[in-house]
Amino acid sequence: MNPTDINDPEYFHGVIDCQLACPAHTPVPEYIRLIAEKKYADAYMINWESNVFPGILGRICDRPCEPACRRGRVEEKAVAICRLKRVCADNKEDVSGRLPDVSKKKNGKKIALIGGGPASLTVARDLLPMGYKVDLYDDQASAGGFVRSQVPSFRLPEKVLNEEVNVILNMGVTTHLKTYIASLKEFLTRGYDAIFIGTGAPRGRDLDLPGRQAGKLFIHIGIQWLASVQYGHIKKSEKITLVIGGGNTAMDCCRTARRLGGKEVKVIIRGTRENMKASPWEIEDAISEDIPILENLSPIEFVMENDRLKGTMFQRLQPDSDGDPEKVFIPCDEVLLAVGQQNAFPWIEKDTGLVFDDAGRPRVNKITFQSDLAHVFFGGDAAFGPKNVITAVAHGHEAAISIDLFCNGRDLTQRPLPFTTLAGQKMGMKDWMYNSAVSGEERQNVPMAPKVKSIKDRLMEVELGFNPQIGLKESRRCLNCDVQTVFNVKECIECDACVDICPTTCINFLKNGPEEDLRSRLSMPAKNKSQPLYVSDLLPTGRVMVKDEDVCLHCGLCAEKCPTAAWDMQKFTYKPPKAGQR
Amino acid sequence: MSSRRPVFRHPNLPKNDLGYTRRDYEGLDSTLCAGCGHDSITNAIIQACFELSIEPHRVAKLSGIGCSSKSPAYFLGKSHGINAVHGRMPSVATGANMANKDLLYIGVSGDGDTASIGMGQFVHIVRRNLNMVYIVMNNGCYGLTKGQDSATADKGSSSRKGRPNPFEAIDLCETAVQTGAGFVARGFSGDKEQLVPLLKAAMGHRGFALVDVISPCVTFNNTPASTKSYHWARDHMEATATFDFIPSRQEITTDYVEGATQNVTLHDGSVIRLHKTDNSFDVTQRWSSLEAMEQCREKGQILTGILHVNETLKDTHDILETTDKPLNTLTEKDLCPGNQVLTKISENYR
Ligand SMILES: Cc1cc2nc3c(=O)[nH]c(=O)nc-3n(C[C@H](O)[C@H](O)[C@H](O)COP(=O)(O)OP(=O)(O)OC[C@H]3O[C@@H](n4cnc5c(N)ncnc54)[C@H](O)[C@@H]3O)c2cc1C
Ligand SMILES: Cc1ncc(C[n+]2csc(CCOP(=O)(O)OP(=O)(O)O)c2C)c(N)n1
Ligand code: SF4
Ligand code: SF4
Ligand code: SF4
Ligand SMILES: [Mg+2]
C-alpha cells in the first residue's frame, strides 16, 4: 500500500466515526469534552454552528452518529451522543451574545424560501449574516415545518422548538406565514435572486381497500391525524385503535393515541419486528407504553357495521406456508394509516422548466442542490424524499453555499473546502490536554417521567434527559476519536513498545503488501473494511508501520510508551465548509 | 493523564486450547521506561505461554533484582511468583523446583543479576541442570541503578556516560554451553518473530534452558557506540539458522532437503527444525556451538537463534534420583517407613 496521506483532510475525518456519519459533520467529541468540563454554552454553540437545532436534535435526532460510534465496536453500546447534545442545550446559560451579528448592511440580494421547515431555516441562518434579504413562505401559522406539525410534544416540547426557530427568525427573516404558494410560475415573476424550495414530503400514503370510503370517518392518514392533534383539532381517540405501519410515524401515532385516551392501541406490521423501519428506541418506548406490535399481517378490508367501523380484516403473511392464507379479523373503532410518505408538488406547473422523475421528484444536483432552473434550489425532504431533520439541515448548508456562489456569479462546483487543523496535545511525559483515560462505564440510562402521568398528558415530555452528573459519566465514555495518533516514521527506532502496549492490538510492523494482503497479515486481521489502515513509509528494517484504525481507543498509550515520540497525539479539527467561505 | 491500561481489548482476540485469550496471560502495567526492551520480552513471554496453552497456575516466575527482575510482575498475573535477593534467584529456583517439580519454572534475570553478583549461582544452576527456563534480559548495564557497565558489556562499547568499557565481556551463552546447559539460545527484544519460538522451544526442553535476549536500555545504553543498542543489534545480528518450532500436537508434514536441515526432538515431543546455510554447524555438539559463537564474536557479530541443544542430559531430579511424586505432595505416610523398617535399619548399625 502507498503511505497514508494524513494531509488529506478526509483521512482523519474518517477516523472520527460520529462526525463523519453526521450529515452536518458536527464535531461530536469536541462538544462532548466541553460537557465534561461543564462548559455547556460552548458545547451548545459548537452544535449550533453545525446542526442549527441542538435542543431539538438533542431530543429527536435520528442519530446516524450512534450506530457509527467507535465505542459500539469496542464494547456493546455507543456513546449516547444525542442525549449529551440535550445536556448542553438544557444547561447552557444565555447564548444570545454569541449569535452572529446580522449586519444592517444588506448585499442587495433577495432570497425566497418556500416552506418553513429545518432545511429552509438553515438556509436563512447561513445567509442572513452575509447581508442577504430572506423572505420565508409557509402555509402554517408558525415556522418549523414538520417538526412543529408532526413531532409530538411528548418528544419535543413546543418551548424548545420555539426557542431555536425564533433565534433564526429574529436574525431578520421576513415571514409570510399562512401563505400557501399555489403557483411556482407566478412566484418566479417576483424577482428573487434565488429561490429555495423546502416544502418537505407532505403527502401520507393511503390504502385503497374495500371499506376505505365507507369508513372514512374512522380511518385517518397518520400524518394528517398527527397534525390535527398538534393543532388541537383532535382531542380524543377511540377505545380500540389500530395503527398500520412500522415506521417512526406509526410509533408517534400509537403513542399519541395512547395519550388521547386510547385504551387499547395496537401496531400492525407486514413484516417482523427486526425489520421495522422505526428507530429501535422508539419501538422500545412504544412497547413500554403497553402497545403490542402484531407481526406478519397485511390489511385486506375495513369492515363496517351500522355505519361504524367494526374492525379490520388482515391476511397472515407467513414466509412459506402452503394452502390458503389465514385471515385474521381484529376488532377496532379507529385506524391510523402510517404506511409511507411521499413528495407532492401540485403547485409546480409542468412547464416551468423543472424536470420531474417518475416518483414525482424534481431533478436536483446531489452536490449543489441546484435544479434545472439555475436560480431554483431544493433541499430537505423536498429534494430526495423523506429523511430526517439533520439531513434537511445538511442540505440547507450546502444549498446556502450554492446560493451564495450563484449570487456572486461563481462556479457552483468550485466549492469551499473544509477547514482543518492538527494540534499537539502533549503537556508532559504522560500528560495530555485531553482526558486520555478510557472509562469502563456502561451507557447511561435516561431518566423518564413516571408512566402513569406521562401517558395521560400528550404535552408532558417523556424523557427527562441526563442531569449534569449522568451527563458527565456518559461524556467520559467518549473515546476522543478526534485526537489522532500521528506517526513520524523518521523518529521510529522499531523498538515495538507501541505494539506491546496497545490494548487493542492496532499497531503492526511488517513487510508491505497490497491492502487485502496487509489486512489479513496483521496480528489482529483487519476485517472491518469500512475502517482505514494507516500505513507509513519504509522503515530502516524494510518494514512499514500499519495501524488498523478500527478499534483504536485513542488512549495515547502508544505515544506515552514511545521513547522517541514517533507517535504523537494530535487533535484534528474538521469544520465543514460554510457559505461565504472561499 | 492516563498510563492505566484501558479495560478493552480487541473484540476478536483468538482463544487457545484452554479457552483463554492472550489477555489471561497479562500482568500488571509496566513501570519501566518507555521503549525498554524488557517490555518487549515480557510480551514475547505472554505470547509464547498463550500459544502453548500453558495453564497460568502451573507456572512459577522467579527473578532477582533489577529492571529486568521487575518484569515478572508484568506477565502471567495469575501465576506463582518469587522475587529473590540480587543474584540469588538460582538458589530460590532450586529450592522451589525441589519441592514441586511439576511446575514450569520461568526465571527472569538481568545481565547484572546474572553475570555480576549472581555469576557464582548461575554457573552452578547450569551444572546441576535444573529444569527451568532462564531468561536474561541483557542490556549490558545496570539499568535500575542508573546504567553502570555490566559484565556483559562488550570491551570498547560505551553507554550514555561515554567512556568505553575497558574490560572483557562475559558471554553467558558460551558460559552456559561450557558448564553443560542442554538448551542455549540468543534472541533480540526487537525481533519477536524469532524470540517467541525460541521461548516456546526453551519451554519444551527438559533441564536448564538459557535464553539470553539482547534488550536495549533506551535510557542509559542505547547510544550509537553501544553494542547493546537497537541499531547495533539490528546491524550485527547473525542467525545460526532459521528454524521452525513444531509443537508436539502438530503433525510434521513438510518435506525438507537432507543435509541443510537438522531436526531436534525435544523432551515434550515438539520438534525444532533448523534450516542452515552452513552445514558445518551441528547444534547438538558443544564444540560446534562454541566454535560458531567464537567465529561470530571475532567478526563483531551477534549470533542469535538456537545455539545449542542436547536432549540426552539428565536434569537435577534424575541425577538425584528423587521420587516421581513432587516432594511437596509426600505425606508423613510416604516419608516415615514405620517402626519395623526403622528398627531393621538401626539393627544394621549395631
Ligand atoms: C410523524 C413524523 C415524525 C417524525 N419524527 C422525526 C424525528 O423524530 N426526528 C427526525 O429527525 N425527523 C423526524 N421526522 C422527519 C422530519 O420531520 C422531516 O424530515 C423534516 O422536517 C424535513 O424538513 P424540511 O425542511 O425538508 O421540510 P418540512 O419540515 O416538511 O417542512 C416543510 C414545510 O413546508 C410547508 N409547505 C409545503 N408546501 C408548501 C407550499 N406550497 N407553500 C407554502 N408552504 C408549504 C409545509 O406545510 C411545512 O411546514 C418525522 C416525520 C414525521 C412525519
Ligand atoms: C546485594 C545488592 N547489591 C547491589 C544492589 C543494587 N542493584 C540493584 S539492581 C542492580 C543491577 C541490576 O542490573 P541488571 O540485573 O542488569 O538489571 P537491569 O536493571 O539492567 O535490567 C544493582 C547493582 C542490590 N539491590 N542488592
Ligand atoms: S491510542 Fe495508540 S495505544 Fe491507544 S488504542 Fe490507539 S493505537 Fe493503541
Ligand atoms: S514505540 Fe515509537 S520508536 Fe518504538 S516502535 Fe513504536 S513508534 Fe517506533
Ligand atoms: S532504566 Fe533502562 S533497563 Fe531500566 S526500565 Fe529504563 S530502559 Fe529499561
Ligand atoms: Mg542490565
Side-chain angles (χ1 to χ4, degrees):
Chain A
M1 277 178 85
N2 290 327
T4 303
D5 177 14
I6 60 166
N7 294 319
D8 173 357
E10 290 310 315
Y11 181 73
F12 282 142
H13 186 208
V15 175
I16 317 174
D17 300 292
C18 47
Q19 185 177 15
L20 183 72
C22 173
H25 304 306
T26 305
V28 175
E30 181 75 12
Y31 83 71
I32 291 185
R33 277 191 298 273
L34 290 167
I35 291 173
E37 292 172 35
K38 299 203 163 57
K39 293 182 179 158
Y40 302 119
D42 292 350
Y44 182 85
M45 290 313 294
I46 284 181
N47 272 291
W48 191 78
E49 282 261 332
S50 316
N51 56 52
V52 191
F53 305 105
I56 295 171
L57 289 166
R59 290 169 165 84
I60 66 152
C61 188
D62 254 3
R63 313 171 189 179
C65 53
E66 291 191 18
C69 171
R70 174 177 305 262
R71 185 98 190 182
R73 297 197 295 275
V74 173
E75 56 146 330
E76 246 176 88
K77 288 190 177 150
V79 175
I81 299 169
C82 182
R83 286 172 181 147
L84 284 172
K85 198 189 306 295
R86 177 174 169 183
V87 172
C88 67
D90 285 1
N91 294 287
K92 67 179 186 300
E93 61 263 27
D94 183 21
V95 292
S96 47
R98 302 171 179 240
L99 300 173
D101 278 339
V102 179
S103 66
K104 294 274 177 290
K105 239 179 77 199
K106 296 291 164 196
N107 66 2
K109 304 282 181 190
K110 259 173 57 187
I111 312 297
L113 310 173
I114 307 181
S120 291
L121 290 169
T122 301
V123 176
R125 194 210 63 176
D126 286 2
L127 292 182
L128 280 164
M130 297 161 66
Y132 286 90
K133 185 175 176 327
V134 176
D135 290 356
L136 179 143
Y137 296 84
D138 192 287
D139 56 354
Q140 305 294 316
S142 323
F146 262 26
V147 186
R148 186 177 296 280
S149 65
Q150 297 293 316
V151 179
S153 301
F154 59 82
R155 289 204 291 123
L156 175 66
E158 201 184 355
K159 193 170 152 273
V160 178
L161 172 65
N162 286 344
E163 180 189 323
E164 289 183 339
V165 169
N166 289 340
V167 161
I168 297 169
L169 298 184
N170 293 340
M171 285 168 75
V173 181
T174 311
T175 51
H176 302 268
L177 297 168
K178 292 191 188 162
T179 307
Y180 181 75
I181 303 303
S183 161
L184 178 62
K185 241 180 169 170
E186 180 275 323
F187 200 83
L188 290 173
T189 64
R190 297 191 189 181
Y192 285 106
D193 293 292
I195 298 169
F196 176 79
I197 298 178
T199 50
R203 184 172 292 168
R205 263 191 63 209
D206 203 342
L207 281 183
D208 187 18
L209 298 175
R212 172 68 180 95
Q213 273 315 306
K216 66 174 189 252
L217 288 178
F218 311 95
I219 302 164
H220 311 287
I221 305 241
I223 63 171
Q224 287 168 4
W225 183 81
L226 282 171
S228 302
V229 174
Q230 282 292 85
Y231 291 129
H233 307 317
I234 292 179
K235 296 195 166 64
K236 199 176 140 309
S237 68
E238 301 293 334
K239 218 159 81 204
I240 309 178
T241 302
L242 298 189
V243 176
I244 300 180
N248 283 336
T249 303
M251 296 302 103
D252 281 341
C253 285
C254 67
R255 296 178 69 198
T256 302
R258 270 295 266 148
R259 284 165 173 74
L260 297 186
K263 289 273 169 301
E264 263 185 63
V265 181
K266 295 174 184 157
V267 172
I268 320 281
I269 56 175
R270 283 177 62 98
T272 58
R273 265 202 46 196
E274 296 81 68
N275 301 325
M276 277 172 77
K277 270 210 195 135
S279 316
W281 59 91
E282 304 236 359
I283 300 173
E284 261 167 49
D285 287 343
I287 291 172
S288 76
E289 289 173 1
D290 314 309
I291 299 166
I293 295 173
L294 311 181
E295 304 174 309
N296 297 318
L297 292 172
S298 172
I300 47 176
E301 186 185 349
F302 300 109
V303 183
M304 301 291 291
E305 193 180 76
N306 302 331
D307 289 338
R308 281 196 69 85
L309 183 65
K310 186 179 171 217
T312 306
M313 186 66 82
F314 294 89
Q315 183 173 313
R316 192 175 293 286
L317 299 171
Q318 237 123 16
D320 25 45
S321 75
D322 24 48
D324 283 341
E326 186 196 345
K327 286 192 176 161
V328 182
F329 178 76
I330 304 180
C332 63
D333 308 305
E334 184 178 49
V335 172
L336 303 177
L337 298 175
V339 288
Q341 206 187 321
Q342 288 161 331
N343 288 96
F345 300 97
W347 57 282
I348 299 184
E349 295 81 353
K350 294 271 167 296
D351 55 352
T352 53
L354 292 177
V355 181
F356 284 85
D357 67 10
D358 294 344
R361 281 190 208 130
R363 192 159 75 190
V364 177
N365 182 298
K366 286 213 152 65
I367 291 160
T368 63
F369 294 84
Q370 193 176 34
S371 71
D372 285 289
L373 282 174
H375 72 307
V376 176
F377 299 82
F378 281 78
D381 288 356
F384 309 113
K387 299 261 161 29
N388 50 36
V389 176
I390 191 66
T391 305
V393 168
H395 290 180
H397 287 316
E398 290 301 330
I401 290 173
S402 296
I403 291 171
D404 180 53
L405 290 172
F406 178 78
C407 289
N408 285 287
R410 288 174 185 264
D411 181 357
L412 268 58
T413 60
Q414 296 294 306
R415 306 185 73 75
L417 296 173
F419 175 77
T420 63
T421 56
L422 205 51
Q425 296 289 294
K426 213 179 180 83
M427 292 210 302
M429 283 284 280
K430 293 181 177 180
D431 262 331
W432 303 104
M433 285 156 76
Y434 72 110
N435 181 24
S436 61
V438 176
S439 155
E441 202 76 58
E442 284 179 13
R443 184 176 164 118
Q444 302 294 302
N445 289 323
V446 70
M448 307 277 249
K451 191 169 106 187
V452 275
K453 276 186 164 174
S454 71
I455 210 79
K456 289 197 187 109
D457 181 358
R458 75 167 178 92
L459 299 179
M460 178 184 225
E461 189 169 15
V462 179
E463 282 196 11
L464 301 178
F466 291 155
N467 63 26
Q469 287 76 30
I470 307 178
L472 176 68
K473 260 196 197 168
E474 186 62 32
S475 64
R476 289 270 190 251
R477 294 181 71 240
C478 172
L479 295 169
N480 301 292
C481 302
D482 59 341
V483 181
Q484 306 292 350
T485 54
V486 177
F487 184 71
N488 181 351
V489 69
K490 292 203 183 68
E491 294 296 332
C492 176
I493 57 170
E494 299 179 68
C495 71
D496 260 12
C498 53
V499 176
D500 294 333
I501 195 66
C502 178
T504 42
T505 325
C506 306
I507 303 171
N508 301 263
F509 289 87
L510 69 176
K511 285 258 173 301
N512 205 346
E515 175 161 359
E516 272 305 289
D517 161 65
L518 266 186
R519 282 185 178 272
S520 70
R521 281 193 290 123
L522 301 190
S523 41
M524 284 309 301
K527 296 202 175 123
N528 182 358
K529 300 237 173 77
S530 69
Q531 291 288 318
L533 297 183
Y534 182 175
V535 182
S536 79
D537 244 314
L538 221 53
L539 286 149
T541 55
R543 302 179 298 173
V544 287
M545 185 290 300
V546 180
K547 181 193 167 207
D548 178 9
E549 299 280 9
D550 187 21
V551 289
C552 169
L553 304 170
H554 297 258
C555 65
L557 285 179
C558 48
E560 286 178 26
K561 280 284 174 183
C562 178
T564 63
W567 282 111
D568 192 20
M569 303 307 289
Q570 299 188 9
K571 184 169 90 179
F572 178 71
T573 318
Y574 179 99
K575 284 194 185 150
K578 279 199 302 206
Q581 193 179 303
R582 298 278 182 258
Chain B
M1 190 185 107
S2 70
S3 293
R4 264 204 51 226
R5 225 170 168 218
V7 294
F8 301 113
R9 294 292 175 273
H10 197 290
N12 304 338
L13 278 190
K15 290 192 169 130
N16 64 14
D17 293 345
L18 297 173
Y20 295 146
T21 66
R22 207 175 169 281
R23 184 190 199 147
D24 298 305
Y25 294 85
E26 290 177 6
L28 302 176
D29 293 346
S30 166
T31 54
L32 301 183
C33 302
C36 178
H38 300 354
D39 281 339
S40 276
I41 303 170
T42 293
N43 270 277
I45 297 171
I46 291 174
Q47 188 64 26
C49 291
F50 162 75
E51 287 178 14
L52 289 178
S53 295
I54 286 169
E55 293 175 285
H57 71 282
R58 307 295 304 160
V59 175
K61 308 174 288 182
L62 305 119
S63 65
I65 299 292
C67 297
S68 35
S69 294
K70 284 170 74 177
S71 357
Y74 315 138
F75 63 86
L76 297 189
K78 291 170 185 132
S79 300
H80 310 278
I82 308 166
N83 194 204
V85 189
H86 201 16
R88 269 55 181 169
M89 180 259 277
S91 318
V92 177
T94 308
N97 193 317
M98 281 300 105
N100 186 356
K101 63 183 199 175
D102 277 359
L103 300 181
L104 169 64
Y105 289 89
I106 301 178
V108 174
S109 179
D111 41 321
D113 195 61
T114 295
S116 298
I117 194 168
M119 194 60 182
Q121 298 237 332
F122 176 70
V123 288
H124 290 289
I125 200 175
V126 180
R127 318 178 25 245
R128 292 179 192 135
N129 202 17
L130 193 77
N131 185 17
M132 76 178 298
V133 178
Y134 192 110
I135 299 163
V136 178
M137 298 183 170
N138 191 346
N139 54 13
C141 70
Y142 303 162
L144 191 71
T145 53
K146 298 205 169 209
Q148 300 84 349
D149 291 336
S150 78
T152 65
D154 289 307
K155 193 171 171 184
S157 170
S158 53
S159 71
R160 207 175 77 180
K161 296 247 163 60
R163 200 171 59 92
N165 169 38
F167 304 116
E168 281 297 332
I170 293 173
D171 183 328
L172 288 170
C173 291
E174 286 193 35
T175 309
V177 173
Q178 279 164 354
T179 34
F183 184 103
V184 177
R186 181 146 46 211
F188 167 44
S189 69
D191 184 357
K192 285 206 198 68
E193 248 172 84
Q194 183 196 47
L195 181 56
V196 173
L198 279 183
L199 290 169
K200 283 160 74 175
M203 291 174 195
H205 171 79
R206 179 176 161 108
F208 190 83
L210 172 72
V211 186
D212 177 28
V213 192
I214 310 293
S215 177
C217 169
V218 278
T219 304
F220 299 111
N221 201 13
N222 193 35
T223 60
S226 162
T227 60
K228 297 279 192 293
S229 68
Y230 280 105
H231 281 115
W232 189 281
R234 282 226 165 82
D235 290 350
H236 296 81
M237 250 174 90
E238 188 63 47
T240 48
T242 56
F243 72 99
D244 301 319
F245 174 75
I246 307 151
S248 55
R249 272 156 305 197
Q250 198 173 307
E251 207 187 329
I252 302 169
T253 46
T254 42
D255 301 322
Y256 57 88
V257 191
E258 197 64 54
T261 304
Q262 186 173 11
N263 277 350
V264 184
T265 305
L266 299 179
H267 173 82
D268 69 354
S270 47
V271 173
I272 299 167
R273 177 181 296 166
L274 293 127
H275 310 277
K276 297 180 288 188
T277 44
D278 178 4
N279 265 327
S280 63
F281 173 59
D282 181 352
V283 75
T284 62
Q285 300 298 321
R286 274 166 71 156
W287 61 265
S288 179
S289 299
L290 289 169
E291 187 180 42
M293 283 189 264
E294 276 301 308
Q295 274 170 0
C296 273
R297 200 182 63 80
E298 223 150 75
K299 286 188 257 174
Q301 291 169 334
I302 308 165
L303 191 63
T304 63
I306 293 177
L307 306 181
H308 182 61
V309 208
N310 182 352
E311 286 298 295
T312 64
L313 302 175
K314 289 177 165 184
D315 89 326
T316 320
H317 282 277
D318 294 338
I319 298 167
L320 298 179
E321 293 180 351
T322 61
T323 66
D324 283 346
K325 270 174 100 180
L327 299 186
N328 67 342
T329 62
L330 299 181
T331 61
E332 193 184 339
K333 222 174 105 226
D334 301 314
L335 293 170
C336 178
N339 211 9
Q340 239 180 332
V341 181
L342 278 175
T343 320
K344 232 178 162 179
I345 294 171
S346 302
E347 289 294 316
N348 286 337
Y349 295 106
R350 275 189 207 279

